[in-house]
Amino acid sequence: MNLEETIKKFPYPKHIAIIMDGNGRWAKNRGKLRIFGHENGTKSVKNIVESCSNLGIQCLTLYAFSTENWNRPKLEVKTLMSLLISSLKRESDKLQKNNIRLNPIGNLNLLPLKVSKELFQVVETTKSNSGMVLNLALSYGSRDEIINCVKEIGEKIKNNLISFEKIDETVINQHLYTQNLPDVDLLIRTSGEQRVSNFLLWQIAYAELYFTKVLWPDFTEQDLYKAIDNYQKRERRFGKTSEQVG
Ligand code: IPE
Ligand code: IPE
Ligand code: MG
């Protein structure tokens, strides 16, 4: 039986998050500029979005650009922003056709106007779609998200819209960029690095972590199936004993 058929027999993760890493090294291995890696990375994005949507995954979050990535060389940042615009233009119809809703998360005020215009056009077009939610983490940092969350709640307390005794997990969730989305079940990071790099620190509290050496431009749907298969073989105990959950 092939892997696709095998994974169809067991429950899928509801929410998959991916740290798409290794574009630069992929290009370097071929004696090319880093941007060549980013260009090829967009092909993997297209493939994986489509595969997740075909499988019926509820929610996919892709780490496309971190708050720390603003510190990269100016030219790389500029080219990444242009790539983003062209990908959004190219993929908008496909997202619509596949009933996918685009939901950008991050400090979007920092994005160049051209990017945010294109982004919000696709958000508008896809807003009523009822299939997979595609969260695109752009100018995203988890610490930035937490600071923003604390400020928003603080403001509401100041204006008597909420009492501080009422603060609980639900209230925090409602003030994160990912509001109302399910917790991450499976976090995948490509390229062999084993760190979370300021990604979804609150939301991955009980995620299963999966690291693969495959560089992002080489990541195929078979690699996705492998990650899901690995996830399905794990026992998620959430603090209980094996007997309790078994
Ligand atoms: C991930 O690939 C893409 C972004 C962070 C935008 P990298 O550009 O980090 O690739 P490596 O890690 O240098 O190989
Ligand atoms: C994390 O990758 C950010 C994205 C994939 C968008 P980086 O390549 O920027 O992470 P570090 O700095 O090596 O941890
Ligand atoms: Mg990297």
Side-chain angles (χ1 to χ4, degrees):
M1 198 184 323
N2 69 31
L3 209 47
E4 190 180 358
E5 283 169 32
T6 309
I7 62 167
K8 284 193 170 146
K9 296 194 184 313
F10 303 95
Y12 294 142
K14 280 200 184 104
H15 186 172
I16 299 180
I18 309 182
I19 303 176
M20 311 182 290
D21 199 11
N23 293 351
R25 277 162 283 170
W26 188 89
K28 200 174 168 204
N29 290 345
R30 287 160 177 77
K32 304 265 189 179
L33 295 175
R34 296 178 56 81
I35 197 62
F36 183 64
H38 295 315
E39 279 165 5
N40 279 276
T42 63
K43 294 178 191 161
S44 301
V45 173
K46 180 181 154 57
N47 280 342
I48 295 310
V49 168
E50 225 170 294
S51 319
C52 284
S53 163
N54 288 341
L55 287 177
I57 301 294
Q58 277 183 28
C59 185
L60 172 67
T61 304
L62 298 178
Y63 205 5
F65 193 86
S66 71
T67 44
E68 289 72 23
N69 289 149
W70 287 116
N71 300 319
R72 290 197 177 190
K74 267 203 176 105
L75 182 61
E76 181 168 345
V77 172
K78 206 173 155 218
T79 325
L80 278 167
M81 293 298 143
S82 310
L83 261 182
L84 194 60
I85 297 175
S86 52
S87 306
L88 285 165
K89 277 197 165 89
R90 202 179 48 232
E91 300 308 325
S92 177
D93 287 352
K94 202 62 186 273
L95 292 179
Q96 186 59 10
K97 214 170 100 201
N98 288 331
N99 196 23
I100 296 170
R101 177 163 68 86
L102 183 71
N103 178 42
I105 55 168
N107 192 345
L108 305 176
N109 296 325
L110 299 180
L111 293 172
L113 196 63
K114 264 181 153 176
V115 175
S116 43
K117 265 189 170 167
E118 200 58 51
L119 193 61
F120 284 100
Q121 199 158 326
V122 185
V123 170
E124 187 58 30
T125 314
T126 62
K127 72 174 182 209
S128 310
N129 289 347
S130 55
M132 188 175 81
V133 179
L134 172 60
N135 302 299
L136 201 55
L138 281 174
S139 185
Y140 175 89
S142 201
R143 288 186 170 181
D144 169 69
E145 180 181 42
I146 291 168
I147 292 168
N148 186 64
C149 166
V150 172
K151 280 187 181 161
E152 279 187 14
I153 296 174
E155 187 75 23
K156 287 191 181 167
I157 293 173
K158 207 168 71 184
N159 295 321
N160 292 320
L161 295 169
I162 185 175
S163 68
F164 87 92
E165 291 87 354
K166 289 257 164 68
I167 297 173
D168 58 9
E169 289 196 14
T170 310
V171 172
I172 303 276
N173 269 324
Q174 284 164 348
H175 293 85
L176 293 171
Y177 295 140
T178 49
Q179 36 177 277
N180 303 325
L181 295 175
D183 275 352
V184 175
D185 297 303
L186 171 62
L187 174 70
I188 300 172
R189 184 171 189 148
T190 59
S191 89
E193 308 299 347
Q194 303 195 1
R195 53 178 175 262
V196 289
S197 303
N198 202 11
F199 190 42
L200 305 173
L201 300 181
W202 169 277
Q203 299 87 337
I204 61 168
Y206 252 109
E208 296 297 327
L209 309 183
Y210 179 85
F211 299 104
T212 168
K213 289 211 165 95
V214 176
L215 301 174
W216 179 249
D218 289 329
F219 194 82
T220 61
E221 54 185 2
Q222 282 304 315
D223 294 308
L224 173 74
Y225 299 157
K226 264 189 219 165
I228 295 176
D229 178 58
N230 183 292
Y231 165 89
Q232 289 173 330
K233 291 187 169 118
R234 299 185 191 188
E235 181 177 66
R236 303 186 78 193
R237 292 193 284 276
F238 298 98
K240 297 182 178 170
T241 66
S242 191
E243 289 71 25
Q244 282 177 297
V245 296

